[in-house]
Amino acid sequence: MGLFKWLNKLALFNNWGRLGGIHGVIVMFVYRIGNIIYYKVNIPILKQLLWIMYRMIDLFIIRLFMNCEFPAQCQIGKDLRLPHGAKGIIINPFTKIGDHVTIFHQVTFGQNKESRQAPEVCNHAYIGVGAKLLGGIRIGTNSKVGANAVVLKSVPDHCTAVGVPSVNMEK
């Protein structure tokens, strides 16, 4: 088997296009390492040392050079798609993102003043360019959020949210 066939079988290179090239691959790699350190390492001294190293890499490479925030505390499912890389994506540390979710650039997942809760995005959701998801809302399975929408209320399954503030539209 040739080198290129072997490299194509690696999951890293199979997801190359889905993660938006090298930027998305690096961001997700650093996020997954930080997530493992945060949730799986139980030895206190080792956890502190690894956490310091992770935070330095996160600050200097991910936040400054790649201009995004993927904190290790958030929970991201498998097969996250970042078609344009992770440019400008800001994620609250308490956000939950399901499997097979597509997120375009300049998306913000944040808290609002009243609820102090983070959004939850279910499986197979599609989040358009520049969307803002604020508060303890739930984006349902197979739902879509349009470009530049400001979502303040939950979106049911199989629906689309568009506008500022967003309005849910039946499919």
Side-chain angles (χ1 to χ4, degrees), residues 43-58:
I43 302 168
I45 294 173
L46 179 63
K47 185 171 188 166
Q48 288 298 320
L49 290 174
L50 292 173
W51 188 251
I52 290 170
M53 290 179 12
Y54 161 74
R55 291 297 292 171
M56 291 180 69
I57 291 169
D58 183 55

Side-chain angles (χ1 to χ4, degrees), residues 96-152:
K96 295 178 184 173
I97 299 174
D99 299 334
H100 310 288
V101 174
T102 301
I103 302 175
F104 281 86
H105 56 285
Q106 300 296 329
V107 173
T108 301
F109 297 89
Q111 297 176 334
N112 61 11
K113 291 181 182 179
E114 294 84 28
S115 68
R116 298 283 184 205
Q117 296 175 339
E120 176 185 353
V121 180
C122 295
N123 299 337
H124 302 282
Y126 175 93
I127 312 296
V129 176
K132 310 300 182 229
L133 288 74
L134 304 174
I137 61 172
R138 179 182 178 274
I139 306 299
T141 303
N142 290 321
S143 292
K144 296 176 183 170
V145 176
N148 292 320
V150 178
V151 183
L152 301 174

Side-chain angles (χ1 to χ4, degrees), residues 69-113:
E69 291 184 24
F70 277 69
Q73 298 89 337
C74 67
Q75 299 172 8
I76 298 175
K78 63 181 180 177
D79 197 22
L80 176 68
R81 296 181 188 107
L82 304 169
H84 296 185
K87 297 175 190 99
I89 297 176
I90 308 296
I91 299 178
N92 185 286
F94 305 109
T95 300
K96 295 178 184 173
I97 299 174
D99 299 334
H100 310 288
V101 174
T102 301
I103 302 175
F104 281 86
H105 56 285
Q106 300 296 329
V107 173
T108 301
F109 297 89
Q111 297 176 334
N112 61 11
K113 291 181 182 179

